[in-house]
Amino acid sequence: MELKAMNRRTSPVNPAVFLHLTMVLLATGLLFTAWFSVYEVTSTRYTWDTYEQLLISLVASLFMDFGVLFLLFWVGIYI
């Protein structure tokens, strides 16, 4: 197969919006992290819900992970 016959691969996300995605995802992740921290400090033994803790921490982790991923993309580290 010749090089001219191959299609060029393009990113599904425009590289111009990497910075904006980074900021939005990291800010949302920090919001959920703060919510989790407040929940941990204010909950007592009787109001403690393990599933709610897991859900909040999972959502915070996902937003932070994708925020860091787009931060790496923005600075030019393509993994």
Side-chain angles (χ1 to χ4, degrees), residues 25-78:
L25 290 171
L26 286 177
T28 307
L30 284 174
L31 176 78
F32 278 101
T33 303
W35 182 18
F36 179 77
S37 299
V38 168
Y39 179 79
E40 286 294 317
V41 170
T42 58
S43 65
T44 63
R45 184 181 348 170
Y46 305 109
T47 62
W48 205 349
D49 187 14
T50 305
Y51 294 113
E52 186 175 356
Q53 288 176 335
L54 288 174
L55 180 68
I56 294 171
S57 63
L58 176 73
V59 171
S61 175
L62 286 174
F63 276 110
M64 294 290 277
D65 289 340
F66 281 108
V68 169
L69 180 71
F70 280 105
L71 177 65
L72 290 173
F73 289 162
W74 180 61
V75 296
I77 302 172
Y78 296 102

